[in-house]
Amino acid sequence: MARMTEEEADALDEYYTKNPPKVDPRRKGGVFTRQREMLDILDRVSADYIITQSMADNKMPVEVIRDMVRERIAATA
């Protein structure tokens, strides 16, 4: 990965200082917000398990849930 020079970093800093990103309060958020909302629906033990597995397997929580569902479907087929 290429590294930025001091001049490039200063230019980016100045740009984002003068032009902060626009946030639309009507939007609910991105991927991480949706995943957090999904985990909030679960009980604490289930959410902790999914988070622990996702960290151990280096996966997103939704991937852990997907794998669990597919394993359950395969077991019943």
Side-chain angles (χ1 to χ4, degrees), residues 2-15:
R3 290 187 150 298
M4 276 194 275
T5 63
E6 283 294 318
E7 292 79 22
E8 292 170 325
D10 288 340
L12 278 176
D13 178 55
E14 183 176 339
Y15 174 80

Side-chain angles (χ1 to χ4, degrees), residues 5-76:
T5 63
E6 283 294 318
E7 292 79 22
E8 292 170 325
D10 288 340
L12 278 176
D13 178 55
E14 183 176 339
Y15 174 80
Y16 284 110
T17 299
K18 291 180 179 177
N19 305 294
K22 306 258 187 297
V23 178
D24 185 356
R26 295 172 293 182
R27 294 193 67 199
K28 289 201 69 131
V31 172
F32 299 112
T33 301
R34 287 192 299 272
Q35 286 192 7
R36 180 77 252 156
E37 289 172 351
M38 179 179 55
L39 290 175
D40 287 343
I41 294 170
L42 301 172
D43 61 274
R44 189 77 256 149
V45 173
S46 299
D48 288 345
Y49 175 80
I50 292 168
I51 293 294
T52 302
Q53 279 303 125
S54 70
M55 290 170 55
D57 297 341
N58 198 25
K59 294 180 178 179
M60 298 291 286
V62 72
E63 293 174 305
V64 172
I65 294 169
R66 179 201 62 206
D67 293 345
M68 291 170 60
V69 169
R70 288 183 179 173
E71 286 173 14
R72 185 73 182 255
I73 291 170
T76 59

